[in-house]
Amino acid sequence: MNEPRGSRRQRNAPTISDVAARAGVSPMTVSRVINREGSVRDATRERVEEAIAALRYAPSAAARMLAGGEDFRLGVLHTTTSLFYFSEFLVGCLDQAARQNGQIIVEQCAEGGEVAAIEHLLNGRVDGLLLPPPLGDAETVLAMLRERDVPVVAVSTGRAPEWALSVSIDDRKAAYEMTRHLGALGHRRIGFVTGAANQSATGERLAGYRDAVADMALDADDTLIAAGDFGYRSGLDAAERLLDLSDAPTAIFASNDDMAAATVAIAHRRDLDVPGDLTVCGFDDSALATTVWPELTTIRQPVSDMARTAVDLLMREIRQRRAGGSEDHPHVLVEYALIRRQSDAVPRRRPRATG
Amino acid sequence: MNEPRGSRRQRNAPTISDVAARAGVSPMTVSRVINREGSVRDATRERVEEAIAALRYAPSAAARMLAGGEDFRLGVLHTTTSLFYFSEFLVGCLDQAARQNGQIIVEQCAEGGEVAAIEHLLNGRVDGLLLPPPLGDAETVLAMLRERDVPVVAVSTGRAPEWALSVSIDDRKAAYEMTRHLGALGHRRIGFVTGAANQSATGERLAGYRDAVADMALDADDTLIAAGDFGYRSGLDAAERLLDLSDAPTAIFASNDDMAAATVAIAHRRDLDVPGDLTVCGFDDSALATTVWPELTTIRQPVSDMARTAVDLLMREIRQRRAGGSEDHPHVLVEYALIRRQSDAVPRRRPRATG
DNA sequence: GTGAAAGCGCTAACAA
DNA sequence: TTGTTAGCGCTTTCAC
């Protein structure tokens, strides 16, 4: 009758005490084993590990956190643009956050509704924000966040503000490399389709293209540069313009895969074989790159790794701030890769019949 | 010396006790206000609410859960297919889960690695699983899950197993409606591109098409039905076959947007205007539908709402099981919508010159 | 190297 | 209608 009023346990999952009992040690020792603290004798550790395995024990994140573990609420702004990118980004965030007591709050926001969305997120007590493109370049958003002194990571931005954190690839170098690749294949006239004017990656990619054109002494003709906005439709128009040129390019490098896919569509509409008559390549390696046919040669941004890094950086920053510090704001550059698929080839011999 | 050793609080966020102190009530009363339990006098409630606002108090999810609140860990299997779908799906899951102490664990899995992935998820102590397509039709997956007695929701499946939960649209009816729409426009020969054979939605959509063809007495010709597999490339092939027919269709209804986009590409390659010379429509209303040009007339599946519903259903089921019960396994049907965009039109007059 | 005690913030059960 | 008590599962602090 001394039973204090039945336990309130609801889930019948094993607890740290169950493990301790089975291993014949105290809960504290189990805790030490779990957290990889040094001071546990090997024999003890082994017994504990056995018990953990036998019971299929998994620690309760909630209890852990409550007992002094830190926790993090990270907001992700989801704009309607770049849906392809977003999915991969989110998976990376979720994965990394789960490893570190992080919770990801996704806030959808319509164009123009960014400020309201952020307001909402901030009221929900998020500790920091992740900004996938194009938000990392949005002046009003950035200004607001800076004023509020919210920790922020900009992802895939060409040029992130100094006070923020960022994770990107070297857009300029990647575009340079792709352009050189095309040049090495034998293309002299390479068309380029730019991205949206308000994103800094756009400028970087264009600069990379220009560098390579200059370095390899390719045809440097401004009519070879067509303005796009990262949207498929803008790619359609840009490709038309480029292919209408009296001396049309033999290769077109679009600033993203959507516009490259559009270029392929236009080429086909004109009975041009890709890559036989026209080489087309993209940038990002989004789902679209392997959806269309031929599959696109492109620059791979490791989006989900970048997301993981971003979450990591952000948590570090938040932790530092909680501890009072935080002076450095790392801007990390991750590796990209040039992925060759079926959309590039050596140019067909030009009309003036060399051979 | 009676000071038990200073508080261990780490975050300086206000607690329920802070609110209670400020409002001059007990923590329990605050808890009642937060949880909208009836028995609190209005005056008291107001004071508490003021205190909450003043302190910007937000309850700690961890503490709440630990104290007996239920919690849920829901696993989502992420196959490489249908990335467009997945992003929207995930956002819905996350959103709904966040409202109900749910945590979403995403597990990526390669083709053929489903069983291992599930094993991993289950070891991570998930309480239930969400199965986006094509998993809801995968026999081995389903068998394993059933044997283990794991709560499961199949989403967007044509025909979910009785013992599981499901959220779908009425694929057959939707395809029927789209086909009738095409018939009403004046098309008599309507091509159809099927989906992957191993997904039950494929059969449903085809059946809907057939029903409408019969009901409207349209040309019922099996050469008008081309097999696809939901992939873009299969759509390319199917469209070629259909347009190579001596009496080619004036409209092609593809079982998803990817294949519809491929059909548009083939049409353009053959100098056919869409929708002038050929009407094309898709199914799903994925990101692709509004990416390509012309934008696709398609059937909208409200994926993110479906995800929300799925999470809800799953939590309800888990809760019931914890309470010992659970007899009924709801299969909910949500509304779809036929979205008209720019890819459909009245057929051009046929060669035999009617007028 | 290991254990005991206390407390993280909250709510269920009971008492007033 | 409101308050009191105890305990959720874990980790911290201190003692051995």
Side-chain angles (χ1 to χ4, degrees), chain B residues 185-207:
Chain B
L185 241 29
H187 296 276
R188 311 302 305 167
R189 286 184 72 71
I190 303 175
F192 186 81
V193 184
T194 71
N198 63 353
Q199 276 178 248
S200 56
T202 295
E204 296 294 308
R205 292 176 192 178
L206 176 58

Side-chain angles (χ1 to χ4, degrees), chain A residues 232-309:
Chain A
Y232 185 88
R233 282 168 65 182
S234 77
L236 253 21
D237 296 341
E240 297 271 23
R241 260 174 284 139
L242 256 15
L243 295 176
D244 277 344
L245 255 27
S246 53
D247 195 3
T250 58
I252 295 181
F253 176 16
S255 290
N256 79 350
D257 294 332
D258 292 53
M259 299 190 299
T263 302
V264 170
I266 292 294
H268 285 160
R269 204 177 298 186
R270 295 180 175 220
D271 264 321
L272 258 26
D273 179 55
V274 175
D277 301 312
L278 180 71
T279 281
V280 175
C281 52
F283 203 110
D284 281 352
D285 197 23
S286 74
L288 206 49
T290 49
T291 294
V292 298
W293 185 251
E295 294 188 354
L296 263 22
T297 288
T298 190
I299 295 289
R300 167 150 180 74
Q301 280 203 68
V303 177
S304 100
D305 288 344
M306 291 168 78
R308 264 180 272 267
T309 305

Side-chain angles (χ1 to χ4, degrees), chain B residues 28-96:
Chain B
M28 201 49 230
T29 302
V30 177
S31 173
R32 289 189 176 106
V33 170
I34 295 169
N35 298 300
R36 311 212 133 51
E37 281 173 39
S39 57
V40 178
R41 200 170 303 164
D42 279 354
T44 316
R45 172 192 313 284
E46 274 167 35
R47 259 187 306 141
V48 172
E49 273 164 355
E50 267 167 34
I52 289 177
L55 263 27
R56 303 184 114 246
Y57 165 79
S60 144
R64 193 173 228 177
M65 196 246 103
L66 230 207
E70 349 173 50
D71 84 319
F72 300 88
R73 289 168 58 90
L74 309 181
V76 176
L77 274 172
H78 177 18
T79 53
T80 46
T81 43
S82 60
L83 202 53
F84 306 102
Y85 181 100
F86 193 70
S87 164
E88 199 181 341
F89 182 74
L90 204 49
V91 170
C93 290
L94 248 24
D95 184 55
Q96 187 65 24

Side-chain angles (χ1 to χ4, degrees), chain A residues 101-139:
Chain A
N101 290 309
Q103 199 184 346
I104 298 289
I105 319 287
V106 180
E107 179 86 25
Q108 199 123 20
C109 71
E111 189 120 21
E114 295 86 358
V115 170
I118 292 176
E119 202 74 58
H120 187 221
L121 230 28
L122 260 28
N123 285 340
R125 298 273 230 70
V126 300
D127 302 299
L129 248 45
L130 291 145
L131 262 30
L135 269 5
D137 288 308
E139 294 300 344

